[in-house]
Amino acid sequence: MTDSFTINVDGRDIQATKGQTILEAAEAAGIYIPRLCHHPELKPHGSCRICTVIANGRSCTSCTQPAEPDMEVQNNHPQVEMWRKQLIEMLFVEGNHFCPFCEKSGGCELQALGYRHGLTATQHPHLFPRREIDATHPDIMVDHNRCVLCGRCVRASRDVDGKRVFQFVERGPEKRVAVNSDAKLSRTDVDLTDKAVGVCPVGAILPKRQGYVAPVGAREFDHTPIGTSVEGGNGSLEV
Amino acid sequence: MSIPVETSARKITIEPVTRVEGHGKVTILLDDDGKVQQARLHIVEFRGFERFIQGRPFWEVPVIVQRLCGICPVSHHLAAAKAMDIIVGVDELSPTADKMRRLMHYGQMFQSHALHFFHLCSPDLLFGFGSDPKQRNVLGVAAAHPDLAVQGVNMRRFGQEIILATAGKKIHGTGAIPGGVNKNLTIEERDKFLAEIPQMKEWALSAVAIAKNYTVENLSTVADFGTFPSNYMSLVRDDGAMDLYHGKLRAIDHNGDKLIDGAPYSGYLDHIAEEVRNWSYMKFPFMKNMGTEDGWYRVGPLARMNVVDFIDTPLAEVARQEFVALGAGAPVHVTMGYHWARMIELLHSLEEMERLLNDPDLQGDELVRTGERRSEAVGVIEAPRGTLIHHYEVDDNDMVTMANLIVSTTHNNEGMNRSVAKVANDYLSGVEITEGLLNHIEVAIRAYDPCLSCATHAMGRMPLEVELVGADGKQLDRKVKD
């Protein structure tokens, strides 16, 4: 099999195939590489940088970097861990993330990453940006306070739904997700069943009137940390 | 020719008031002869919840507003949820949802009342109002009466575990959602609680006895302590029974004659208005038809004992009858009677929990109902400290546009100020002020179990600071108790 080869992740040899990214190969072998903007049904984006690993001595985003024969990858590594923790923290302070009352709490990937990486407090000052809520659509609302600019909705709407409801606008600190170039959501043909609505990793795009229906204890990350489904077992979450 | 006269007039400040929930201060102005001229309880916190939930989706509200308080968040959670039931067009919850919420509420009533009686006020009752402050605290209680301290902790635990089972978390859960609840009670959870009921009942009866005996044995002191005739208000069930979760508004005057009866709480604004005074962040509610001078009233355990016709659980009803006998046909105005009344409600809550836990509806599957969306709603509940009013308006996009919250302690604002003034006049006028005497003021405030901010708590030390300030505003002396 010329398409199959070996890479080494944290000292463990695993099989990879041509065309697989590092993240995909690791996942197939039961190794979880933390990620936020990556979604298995969407094209890799490489923007959140949380899946950064050291491959053959250089840092790269594992969701976009193809696996290569004999590649040496550091995933569970102090330097990598520090980068990830800082990235997660910056996402927290950059937006308005109030986990105590957020309906996505317990099922939020950003919150779950914070727990997994032991982020108990932020060192950077919170920016408390002034952001809007678009609640004009009868069934869907967008709370920009919680958006982490992962672009999942942008890719899902464009590539899966074929609608281009969501796009990035502006640059740098002003960058944000907009709806049909700054229209309101009610002026679009977005639908509750759209992929773009279901892939948000945080509480930014939400179906209306569904909050808190899952009781505490029955939410996705209430008992096991994010990544458990990849790693197998029933890892415990120590909070 | 006039010469400046050095005055000995002074102002005493108690800040913060201790062993209450939240932050407040008391100022007492004394004249040249040391006579009390004015005594006020000031609420010095500002929270802003009514403003910052505007623009948030309505289903978030029950979860956000409970963050007002860490002691009885369930009250705010349920009052808001009751309002949001109406917003989603549900006038009657499923039996399972109604009973799960009631169980949550009685669990909270039980733990909150236990917390106040055993942890906050018992040092005053056990050791005396003016006793050594080194002992007059919860650690002193634990040392001198370890059995009581353990009972208090365990009763609070029981109530908190009921909340955990119904709301998902002991503090700030998510159990009540618009139109119902998000979980029912498992058989395992039920059986675990039922096994503890006998012990809890024994302790609850014992707590009623302690509060009753204290009141009866010290009646010569407590009957007049911070006491005055007043109006009272609470929700009552249609048949006049105590119902802490739902009912209609009833208010009585100081003779027990009904001022309001059978009034749906959605029309609370027809009956109640709020006055603002420039020295406190807490408003002063009053009954509109009586005006600010005579229309103020008290709420909470004492008010409920006076307002209801009966309690629908046997042990608590026996206790209530003993309590109201104190009034000899008229309402009981004894401010320190709040403690006894509170323990009767603790017992009632336990009896209600036992009744509910034996009800198979708690294992039902119909959790949520839906209906036709509405734009305005009022939710009212009898919280541990009294009547709690939540009023919201929601726009077509599901966003909250208006919120008005009248919390229990706010209703008692005038009553607490009068108790402070009365105790100051009776105990502090013309005598040398000591820490023990100043604690008398706090004892009067604690009777109401106020949640002054409803409730932000200072972390760490809560010192009592007393300032003596000359009439010219210059500080003459200052003492701080750690």
Side-chain angles (χ1 to χ4, degrees):
Chain A
M1 280 287 289
T2 53
D3 282 352
S4 180
F5 51 86
T6 301
I7 68 169
N8 185 286
V9 180
D10 295 333
R12 182 181 151 202
D13 285 339
I14 63 169
Q15 288 301 113
T17 54
K18 193 176 176 187
Q20 263 187 330
T21 61
I22 297 172
L23 187 145
E24 287 167 341
E27 185 152 329
I31 297 170
Y32 175 69
I33 299 178
R35 79 295 300 264
L36 194 58
C37 69
H38 177 75
H39 188 282
E41 297 172 56
L42 304 174
K43 284 181 189 165
H45 199 230
S47 62
C48 77
R49 322 303 285 181
I50 286 171
C51 71
T52 296
V53 294
I54 299 173
N56 291 342
R58 299 180 63 178
S59 63
C60 63
T61 50
S62 62
C63 72
T64 54
Q65 183 67 40
E68 293 170 13
D70 302 322
M71 198 174 231
E72 291 283 337
V73 177
Q74 274 90 46
N75 173 45
N76 188 10
H77 183 276
Q79 177 67 64
V80 173
E81 178 64 18
M82 194 192 76
W83 287 334
R84 288 176 185 159
K85 206 168 170 177
Q86 294 207 341
L87 287 165
I88 296 164
E89 180 185 335
M90 285 192 282
L91 288 173
F92 268 109
V93 301
E94 186 182 62
N96 296 314
H97 299 278
F98 296 102
C99 299
F101 69 78
C102 178
E103 63 188 88
K104 193 80 172 191
S105 216
C108 170
E109 293 182 37
L110 178 64
Q111 183 192 48
L113 284 169
Y115 277 129
R116 183 177 172 112
H117 292 275
L119 191 76
T120 52
T122 53
Q123 297 175 48
H124 300 294
H126 284 262
L127 299 183
F128 297 119
R130 182 173 286 273
R131 295 193 189 162
E132 290 187 348
I133 299 177
D134 182 350
T136 55
H137 192 279
D139 299 318
I140 302 159
M141 93 174 201
V142 181
D143 187 344
H144 292 280
N145 290 291
R146 301 166 181 161
C147 181
V148 290
L149 302 178
C150 69
R152 283 192 194 175
C153 57
V154 175
R155 286 172 281 154
S157 186
R158 181 192 63 212
D159 301 337
V160 181
D161 303 327
K163 291 183 178 178
R164 294 178 184 269
V165 170
F166 301 100
Q167 305 89 32
F168 284 120
V169 294
E170 308 288 356
R171 289 288 179 272
E174 305 301 321
K175 185 173 178 176
R176 59 191 166 86
V177 167
V179 171
N180 277 9
S181 296
D182 276 357
K184 292 290 186 188
L185 205 57
S186 58
R187 303 280 300 273
T188 72
D189 58 352
V190 70
D191 189 85
L192 200 53
T193 57
D194 284 358
K195 193 76 188 169
V197 176
V199 293
C200 181
V202 291
I205 303 178
L206 292 164
K208 280 185 167 182
R209 300 174 296 277
Q210 301 294 313
Y212 317 103
V213 169
V216 176
R219 304 170 305 184
E220 189 175 358
F221 305 120
D222 273 340
H223 300 292
T224 53
I226 190 168
T228 302
S229 60
V230 174
E231 293 166 328
N234 55 352
S236 65
L237 184 62
E238 289 181 17
V239 179
Chain B
M1 173 183 160
S2 67
I3 53 169
V5 178
E6 203 164 277
T7 175
S8 59
R10 55 187 183 159
K11 174 181 169 185
I12 299 174
T13 305
I14 304 174
E15 183 179 17
V17 176
T18 58
R19 282 190 278 130
V20 295
E21 289 97 27
H23 294 177
K25 72 170 180 178
V26 172
T27 57
I28 303 163
L29 292 177
L30 304 175
D31 66 11
D32 291 356
D33 301 324
K35 295 266 169 45
V36 173
Q37 291 297 297
Q38 181 193 70
R40 283 172 171 171
L41 170 64
H42 309 251
I43 307 307
V44 294
E45 297 172 66
F46 181 73
R47 306 297 303 282
F49 270 75
E50 289 161 323
R51 179 64 188 83
F52 65 65
I53 60 169
Q54 291 176 24
R56 298 302 311 175
F58 72 78
W59 55 91
E60 267 186 7
V61 172
V63 181
I64 296 183
V65 292
Q66 64 178 339
R67 297 257 163 194
L68 273 160
C69 189
I71 301 291
C72 69
V74 168
S75 304
H76 292 288
H77 184 53
L78 291 178
K82 285 178 77 174
M84 296 315 161
D85 294 340
I86 295 166
I87 292 292
V88 297
V90 175
D91 293 322
E92 191 175 347
L93 297 177
S94 72
T96 301
D98 180 67
K99 289 169 186 174
M100 281 296 285
R101 286 196 192 175
R102 283 175 179 272
L103 182 62
M104 192 195 305
H105 189 45
Y106 289 116
Q108 172 215 226
M109 193 68 77
F110 192 74
Q111 69 82 16
S112 175
H113 280 358
L115 167 79
H116 181 259
F117 188 70
F118 289 97
H119 298 190
L120 301 184
C121 83
S122 72
D124 300 323
L125 309 189
L126 293 170
F127 305 128
F129 302 170
S131 59
D132 183 356
K134 285 181 185 151
Q135 187 187 31
R136 201 181 58 220
N137 53 60
V138 70
L139 294 177
V141 174
H145 304 275
D147 291 353
L148 270 187
V150 169
Q151 278 178 31
V153 170
N154 269 310
M155 290 167 88
R156 182 134 200 266
R157 172 193 55 77
F158 182 78
Q160 293 284 49
E161 286 179 356
I162 290 275
I163 296 170
L164 170 67
T166 48
K169 288 166 70 183
K170 287 180 181 171
I171 304 173
H172 301 142
T174 62
I177 56 178
V181 293
N182 64 16
K183 76 185 290 283
N184 62 10
L185 196 74
T186 65
I187 297 287
E188 295 74 34
E189 288 169 325
R190 181 199 68 182
D191 291 347
K192 188 186 77 166
F193 292 129
L194 280 173
E196 284 208 76
I197 290 281
Q199 177 66 78
M200 291 300 151
K201 195 179 284 181
E202 186 188 322
W203 286 344
L205 282 164
S206 154
V208 173
I210 294 170
K212 174 192 160 188
N213 293 341
Y214 173 81
T215 312
V216 172
E217 288 165 12
N218 297 284
L219 202 56
S220 59
T221 309
V222 302
D224 199 41
F225 187 85
T227 290
F228 42 81
S230 71
N231 307 310
Y232 298 96
M233 187 180 81
S234 91
L235 292 182
V236 294
R237 208 166 70 184
D238 284 346
D239 60 359
M242 173 178 280
D243 189 337
L244 300 171
Y245 178 74
H246 192 65
K248 291 189 173 132
L249 288 173
R250 178 187 283 179
I252 59 169
D253 67 12
H254 64 281
N255 291 317
D257 294 329
K258 293 187 177 70
L259 299 166
I260 303 169
D261 195 23
Y265 57 64
S266 56
Y268 79 101
L269 284 175
D270 295 336
H271 306 287
I272 300 167
E274 292 178 283
E275 182 195 7
V276 176
R277 297 180 195 169
N278 62 6
W279 46 269
S280 181
Y281 275 125
M282 190 155 72
K283 294 176 185 173
F284 289 79
F286 60 95
M287 279 180 271
K288 274 182 171 175
N289 58 356
M290 296 177 75
T292 53
E293 280 297 306
D294 303 319
W296 57 274
Y297 51 89
R298 293 194 276 182
V299 300
L302 177 68
R304 291 189 283 249
M305 290 298 145
N306 286 326
V307 168
V308 304
D309 297 330
F310 65 102
I311 296 180
D312 187 21
T313 54
L315 296 174
E317 172 58 10
V318 170
R320 185 196 69 87
Q321 288 177 13
E322 287 179 343
F323 179 87
V324 296
L326 207 61
V332 178
H333 297 299
V334 178
T335 295
M336 290 297 281
Y338 262 103
H339 296 300
W340 183 2
R342 194 169 288 120
M343 289 305 95
I344 295 171
E345 290 189 345
L346 175 106
L347 177 61
H348 169 60
S349 300
L350 198 269
E351 290 184 287
E352 285 283 10
M353 283 190 276
E354 182 181 20
R355 182 188 284 173
L356 286 163
L357 287 167
N358 283 305
D359 190 327
D361 278 343
L362 286 183
Q363 281 77 49
D365 292 328
E366 189 190 2
L367 301 183
V368 181
R369 287 180 174 171
T370 54
E372 191 82 8
R373 258 279 265 119
R374 296 172 186 147
S375 58
E376 184 175 2
V378 178
V380 179
I381 199 163
E382 281 298 323
R385 290 150 191 82
T387 313
L388 171 64
I389 300 172
H390 281 214
H391 181 188
Y392 302 101
E393 287 176 13
V394 179
D395 69 13
D396 291 342
N397 289 332
D398 297 330
M399 298 292 119
V400 174
T401 54
M402 188 286 291
N404 184 32
L405 315 178
I406 307 182
V407 302
S408 319
T409 299
T410 309
H411 298 289
N412 279 337
N413 202 356
E414 180 67 26
M416 287 191 294
N417 270 282
R418 288 190 183 233
S419 287
V420 165
K422 179 143 193 337
V423 171
N425 274 305
D426 291 351
Y427 289 86
L428 303 186
S429 264
V431 299
E432 188 186 343
I433 308 290
T434 64
E435 187 279 337
L437 282 175
L438 287 178
N439 185 53
H440 283 58
I441 300 283
E442 296 188 78
V443 168
I445 297 167
R446 276 179 213 123
Y448 294 85
D449 184 14
C451 197
L452 298 183
S453 59
C454 206
T456 45
H457 295 257
M459 300 297 286
R461 297 193 310 175
M462 292 275 282
L464 172 76
E465 181 183 331
V466 182
E467 276 182 303
L468 299 186
V469 182
D472 57 356
K474 198 174 159 192
Q475 189 182 70
L476 302 174
D477 195 8
R478 178 172 176 270
K479 282 185 180 156
V480 176
K481 179 189 77 179
D482 287 339

